[in-house]
Amino acid sequence: MANILVHIELSDRVATPRSLAVLNVARAIASELGATVHALLPCENPPSYERDDTIATLSRHGADKVALVTGPSLVEPPLHATHGEAIAAACNQIKPRLVLFAGSPASDELAARLATQLGANYFPNARVEDGPAARPGRAEAGEPEPGTGGFQLVSEAFRRQYLARSPLRSAGRIVVATIIELAAPRTVAADDAEVVVIHAPSASTPHVRVRGRRPAPSAELACARIVVGGGNGLAPEAAAQLPRAATALGGAYAHSRSLATREQGEPDRQLGLDGLGTEAELYLALGISGSDRHLAGLAPRTAIVAINSDAKAPIFDRAAFAPCADAAQALGELLGELDGER
Amino acid sequence: MQIVVLLRSVHRGPRSSETLPGLGPCDRAAVLTALALAPAEQIVALTAGPQGDEACLTAAQALGIGRAVRLWDAFIDSQDQHALAAVIAAGVQRLGPDLVLTGHRSADWATGGTGPGVAHILNLPLVTAAVGVRAVERGEASLLEVDQLRGDELISLELDLPALLTVVAAPPRAATPQSAAIEVWDMQDLTLKMMRRSGKPETSVEPAEGRRARQLDGVPILITQLRNAGLLR
């Protein structure tokens, strides 16, 4: 594996923390496999070279080289229409074996199409695991040969019931992945990265044009950052508190199909198959069992907090956090805590 | 406006031919978006899958789409995601739509890769994660105005047709169920000749067993944890 390319996403012309955390991941892989990390920085104008400039930051987070591509179309937010050709040009010049993006709405658009363009294997919403054969000398110690372990891309599938694993070392084709579940970024190297200028093709007539940006309506299920959902394990009087909880959290509320059959749900709030989906970062599941149909409404990046008095509920195998509490009691406590902070 | 909606039946597991009835939320939103933009007779629902994989098409017809096509050839089964995208792209090309819609992600593999792949093969403008789509006429040109969901923001975009959109959400609408026979096309119908590639990537898929949520001792600790993780502000 010769080159690893990490796409750097900018927000207000600063590299996002998630992009820097992916650089950390790439550094770890490259150090084990003897590869070079290229941070790909598409931007409208070249960044300044001051003490804490972007290029020094990328270097300190693990880039051996910063591949700088500039052009008038490379403005925020990054779209395939504005950034696609520049990223493809960088891949053609650097010829990476592995292309990493931080999992984000932008990378959903950029990475998926790039994978087809490069004929690459595509692993979205993956985390990188360091398996037993990643370190030199382990094979001699009787541990698995390269290609049977080592760094793996791991992603959830089938409504979080399955894990798909793919070893990086044995990948025959280029791999394009978007990485989630990242640790906080940290400084891991000196700021001595080499800058490489990539010449991108001049942008053709744009077929997609940005007309404006505005805050997403946080009370709408699809757009909310936080969703609080109620299921059959929630008593009727507690279920009636869901809208208030959503307002207190600055998010939206939802319910399962079983709550709808109790006539406590609204048609435009039912999450799951034949209902609605959400791109929320956080789902507070109150009295939700975690049926296959219901979990189909959650995005792969959504973190679940499960609160259910049934300890055998499948939701506990899919959730990140589970406070020990009855759902109705937890809802009351949550509202009390949030009200107390005001 | 001629629209093709790309759909995927929701499989119970990676090696299961059994499908769950109904549509994934994003695919359902794609169908509702199509029905809001064009009369039902101008919309075709298209899926790629073996016999028995019609659940998504039946569900689309229940929402009001009339014509439904299933693409399949035994050759596809051994091939990778790019070959699948190429077959779907050939199907789209045969139908020649102004607009291609699909769910932002399926409710099983959830990669969100097929739509962008088809857009690349057909060289179509691509917008992902649409939550609002409106058709507008500007002089002789037919355009779309699209609200794209980007985290906390909506990006207002204008795009030329033909184009491909992946859809997250759409307003509800009353259904007028349809029940036309589902057409089945194979690679000969598509006049598509494909070379055998190196097959599917080396990926193992296993049940996600043995994982349990991190137990927390009460709601105040939960709030602290969520704030530390940046999930609660």
Side-chain angles (χ1 to χ4, degrees):
Chain A
M1 179 179 289
N3 290 322
I4 300 174
L5 189 71
V6 177
H7 174 260
I8 303 300
E9 194 173 328
L10 299 175
S11 176
D12 291 331
R13 288 187 268 183
V14 175
T16 63
R18 282 194 273 209
S19 292
L20 298 178
V22 174
L23 261 185
N24 286 166
V25 170
R27 178 73 270 150
I29 297 170
S31 297
E32 292 288 348
L33 305 184
T36 302
V37 177
H38 295 248
L40 174 61
L41 182 59
C43 48
E44 188 179 9
N45 297 303
S48 64
Y49 287 81
E50 293 165 3
R51 182 175 168 77
D52 286 319
D53 63 46
T54 303
I55 288 173
T57 301
L58 299 179
S59 180
R60 286 199 291 269
H61 285 82
D64 297 307
K65 298 185 179 184
V66 176
L68 181 63
V69 52
T70 60
S73 74
L74 299 173
V75 294
E76 298 170 34
L79 306 169
H80 172 76
T82 55
H83 286 56
E85 286 187 22
I87 296 170
C91 289
N92 287 335
Q93 189 164 322
I94 295 168
K95 302 199 183 312
R97 297 296 304 160
L98 175 62
V99 184
L100 298 178
F101 292 75
S104 74
S107 65
D108 286 346
E109 182 164 308
L110 297 171
R113 187 156 175 166
L114 178 71
T116 305
Q117 197 163 358
L118 299 178
N121 294 340
Y122 179 49
F123 294 94
N125 300 306
R127 60 178 191 270
V128 176
E129 287 188 358
D130 181 0
R135 297 175 195 289
R138 289 200 170 184
E140 290 79 355
E143 293 184 11
E145 290 296 319
T148 60
F151 285 103
Q152 296 183 337
L153 291 166
V154 182
S155 58
E156 294 178 331
F158 293 86
R159 305 158 299 277
R160 302 176 191 232
Q161 295 182 85
Y162 287 83
L163 292 178
R165 292 180 182 276
S166 186
L168 278 179
R169 191 185 284 268
S170 64
R173 295 189 208 160
I174 300 170
V175 172
V176 175
T178 69
I179 307 298
I180 58 172
E181 292 186 23
L182 292 158
R186 56 198 172 84
T187 300
V188 294
D191 52 354
D192 55 358
E194 178 188 342
V195 176
V196 181
V197 176
I198 304 287
H199 296 284
S202 34
S204 48
T205 308
H207 293 288
V208 182
R209 299 166 290 278
V210 178
R211 292 298 186 220
R213 302 166 75 160
R214 65 186 191 278
S218 60
E220 284 186 17
L221 193 50
C223 303
R225 265 191 74 246
I226 300 174
V227 172
V228 53
N232 210 23
L234 202 57
E237 55 274 20
Q241 294 292 316
L242 288 173
R244 191 178 148 213
T247 303
L249 289 161
Y253 65 97
H255 59 78
S256 66
R257 197 158 74 151
S258 55
L259 205 66
T261 59
R262 276 177 16 193
E263 297 184 351
Q264 276 207 287
E266 302 163 35
D268 61 346
R269 295 281 172 182
Q270 185 181 314
L271 199 69
L273 284 188
D274 282 335
L276 286 91
T278 181
E279 298 293 300
E281 292 178 20
L282 175 63
Y283 182 50
L284 278 173
L286 301 166
I288 298 261
S289 65
S291 75
D292 210 14
R293 294 188 66 86
H294 185 70
L295 295 183
L298 300 180
R301 288 193 286 270
T302 306
I304 303 174
V305 173
I307 306 177
N308 196 319
S309 49
D310 176 6
K312 291 182 180 169
I315 189 84
F316 290 117
D317 295 329
R318 317 282 175 244
F321 299 110
C324 302
D326 167 76
Q329 179 196 342
L331 181 58
E333 282 184 38
L334 182 70
L335 285 167
E337 291 278 337
L338 294 172
D339 286 346
E341 290 177 6
R342 295 216 183 99
Chain B
M1 184 188 303
Q2 300 290 328
I3 301 176
V4 171
V5 189
L6 307 179
L7 301 172
R8 180 174 166 83
S9 293
V10 183
H11 285 246
R12 197 170 282 284
R15 284 171 283 275
S16 172
S17 58
E18 187 186 351
T19 56
L20 298 172
L23 282 171
C26 296
D27 277 359
R28 184 170 179 273
V31 169
L32 294 176
T33 300
L35 288 165
L37 290 171
E41 60 272 17
Q42 293 179 14
I43 305 169
V44 182
L46 184 72
T47 193
Q51 193 171 13
D53 251 17
E54 288 96 357
C56 60
L57 299 179
T58 309
Q61 289 183 322
L63 286 172
I65 290 183
R67 190 175 175 197
V69 177
R70 179 172 64 82
L71 301 174
W72 193 243
D73 195 291
F75 175 83
I76 302 168
D77 205 23
S78 61
Q79 296 301 292
D80 65 5
Q81 60 211 34
H82 303 304
L84 182 65
V87 169
I88 294 170
V92 171
Q93 209 158 23
R94 188 177 188 202
L95 292 163
D98 304 298
L99 176 64
V100 184
L101 298 172
T102 187
H104 186 52
R105 68 174 64 83
S106 71
D108 45 26
W109 286 103
T111 65
T114 304
V118 170
H120 175 71
I121 293 164
L122 297 176
N123 196 26
L124 292 174
L126 166 71
V127 172
T128 56
V131 293
V133 184
R134 297 165 297 280
V136 291
E137 300 292 327
R138 194 149 303 157
E140 301 263 308
S142 295
L143 306 171
L144 287 183
E145 289 177 350
V146 179
D147 291 329
Q148 182 189 47
L149 181 62
R150 286 278 180 119
D152 290 348
E153 275 191 320
L154 291 183
I155 312 295
S156 300
L157 300 166
E158 181 183 87
L159 74 156
D160 302 328
L161 296 174
L164 188 147
L165 303 181
T166 76
V167 183
V168 168
R173 57 182 291 120
T176 310
Q178 308 282 322
S179 60
I182 292 169
E183 299 169 43
V184 180
W185 296 353
D186 62 15
M187 300 229 320
Q188 281 189 327
D189 292 313
L190 300 175
T191 60
L192 188 64
K193 288 181 182 165
M194 297 187 72
M195 299 297 289
R196 189 167 289 278
R197 286 171 54 109
S198 55
K200 294 182 176 176
E202 186 191 326
T203 302
S204 65
V205 186
E206 63 203 42
E209 289 172 348
R211 291 182 313 163
R212 295 293 287 180
R214 188 172 161 199
Q215 296 288 323
L216 301 174
D217 192 15
V219 169
I221 293 173
L222 169 68
I223 291 174
T224 304
Q225 286 285 340
L226 295 178
R227 289 210 165 115
N228 290 344
L231 293 167
L232 200 61
R233 292 172 185 164

